[in-house]
Amino acid sequence: MKYLEIHDSNYDRQLRVVTKTSSLFDQNVDQRTREILTAVQQKGDSAVIDYTKKFDKASLKPSQLQVSPSEMGLAWDEIPAKIKSALRLSHKNVKDFAKASLRKNWTGKNAQGARVGEKYDPFHRVGIYVPGGKAPLVSTVIMTVTLAKAAGCKEIVVATPCNSEGNVNKYILAACKLAGATEIYRVGGAQSIAALGYGTKKIAKVQKIYGPGNAYVVAAKRLLVGHVAIDLLPGPSELLVLADSSANSRWIAADLLAQAEHGSTDERVFLVSTSKKLLRDVEKHVQ
């Protein structure tokens, strides 16, 4: 943690440095992403495989792009009991909240006697991106796949990067199995967003894409607007915690880490306090 005190002689300058906003619209990132999208649109699975080899160092065949149900089952069997318990608990919390907040159909009559109302139908096929490189985000699975399942989506397609051996993080696979993913592809980056948005021989096009990612993933989502529906453009996380001496230092550390773990190096995570003891305690728990 870096400390900055308001009484420091160069406080204003230091504050400007640490709060400088990171850009989501890097022209170099945009240009490279456009090249990836065009290649996948034109060449399909072969381009997806080429980029997976280039970026993730994994040599895959078209038949290996999709994770098999047996791999998902094995991943669930292999993870520790404590992790299973934590996954079940978080999944239940999110599922219960999602079901309680589902929008409901309604009908009525207007002043002229015409029948009016709203009807909500789930998407049939959705794509979800789950970061799996520097920071395999199991939490993303719980907070996206679970909602799609609660909404009634029939086909829930997850794309997540593999390692150089072609393996997907087992905790991500286990969470996908629990939450209800129907298909998983061991493909990450802008190439996976392109495959979900355009469709390839092995990866059928989806109706809408959800989930966070690095600068290339976010650029790909932005550039595909109009070809496919997009949830939002989640940029690098920004978090500011204000706390006095009465705050729980463990909880603060957990909140800070929950955003800093995203791993893009562009996260902006701050803690402001009047208590030096609290700051020291939080740093201890963060470590």
Side-chain angles (χ1 to χ4, degrees):
M1 290 177 64
K2 296 180 180 178
Y3 287 87
L4 186 60
E5 292 195 34
I6 196 169
H7 300 299
D8 292 345
S9 58
N10 58 351
Y11 171 78
D12 289 341
R13 183 182 64 81
Q14 291 185 73
L15 185 63
R16 285 194 296 272
V17 171
V18 300
T19 58
K20 183 173 66 173
T21 304
S22 60
S23 175
L24 278 176
F25 302 98
D26 185 301
Q27 291 185 356
N28 292 327
V29 171
D30 269 15
Q31 178 59 35
R32 293 169 187 157
T33 303
R34 287 181 190 277
E35 293 171 0
I36 294 171
L37 297 184
T38 299
V40 173
Q41 187 179 30
Q42 294 177 351
K43 300 178 182 179
D45 292 322
S46 64
V48 172
I49 288 170
D50 287 344
Y51 284 118
T52 300
K53 173 67 174 177
K54 179 178 181 180
F55 299 130
D56 298 319
K57 313 303 180 188
S59 299
L60 302 176
K61 298 176 182 178
S63 60
Q64 296 173 313
L65 290 175
Q66 186 171 356
V67 175
S68 68
S70 61
E71 287 179 80
M72 293 174 62
L74 184 61
W76 178 261
D77 292 340
E78 286 183 347
I79 65 172
K82 284 187 176 181
I83 302 297
K84 288 180 182 178
S85 177
L87 285 173
R88 288 192 183 103
L89 177 61
S90 58
H91 173 252
K92 183 181 185 305
N93 285 340
V94 174
K95 181 180 68 174
D96 290 349
F97 189 99
K99 285 188 173 182
S101 60
L102 281 175
R103 296 189 178 186
K104 296 176 175 59
N105 301 338
W106 65 272
T107 59
K109 289 186 177 181
N110 65 12
Q112 289 72 40
R115 187 166 178 254
V116 297
E118 292 179 303
K119 183 174 183 291
Y120 296 96
D121 296 308
F123 286 108
H124 178 76
R125 182 175 176 84
V126 295
I128 294 171
Y129 187 82
V130 178
K134 290 182 179 178
L137 295 185
V138 176
S139 57
T140 295
V141 177
I142 296 298
M143 293 187 287
T144 52
V145 177
T146 304
L147 267 66
K149 186 73 173 178
C153 299
K154 298 298 183 185
E155 298 178 11
I156 305 171
V157 185
V158 171
T160 190
C162 61
N163 62 18
S164 58
E165 284 76 43
N167 297 320
V168 175
N169 181 278
K170 64 182 179 181
Y171 296 103
I172 285 178
L173 291 181
C176 284
K177 178 177 176 59
L178 174 67
T182 60
E183 299 169 41
I184 304 175
Y185 294 92
R186 57 183 100 243
V187 182
Q191 63 270 25
S192 71
I193 302 299
L196 293 172
Y198 294 131
T200 70
K201 189 173 181 180
K202 290 293 183 181
I203 305 174
K205 176 182 171 68
V206 301
Q207 294 171 286
K208 188 169 182 176
I209 299 174
Y210 300 80
N214 63 17
Y216 292 92
V217 168
V218 175
K221 290 173 70 175
R222 177 164 52 82
L223 293 170
L224 280 172
V225 170
H227 293 278
V228 64
I230 299 294
D231 59 342
L232 75 165
L233 303 175
S237 298
E238 295 182 346
L239 176 74
L240 173 68
V241 176
L242 296 174
D244 61 18
S245 59
S246 68
N248 186 315
S249 57
R250 287 183 180 273
W251 291 0
I252 294 173
D255 271 337
L256 299 177
L257 289 172
Q259 300 307 316
E261 73 170 359
H262 292 170
S264 76
T265 72
D266 288 324
E267 285 74 25
R268 299 292 185 266
V269 181
F270 303 101
L271 167 60
V272 178
S273 180
T274 54
S275 170
K276 288 185 177 180
K277 181 181 184 304
L278 178 76
L279 293 173
R280 289 193 297 269
D281 288 345
V282 169
E283 181 174 25
K284 179 182 69 175
H285 293 309
V286 165
Q287 294 300 329

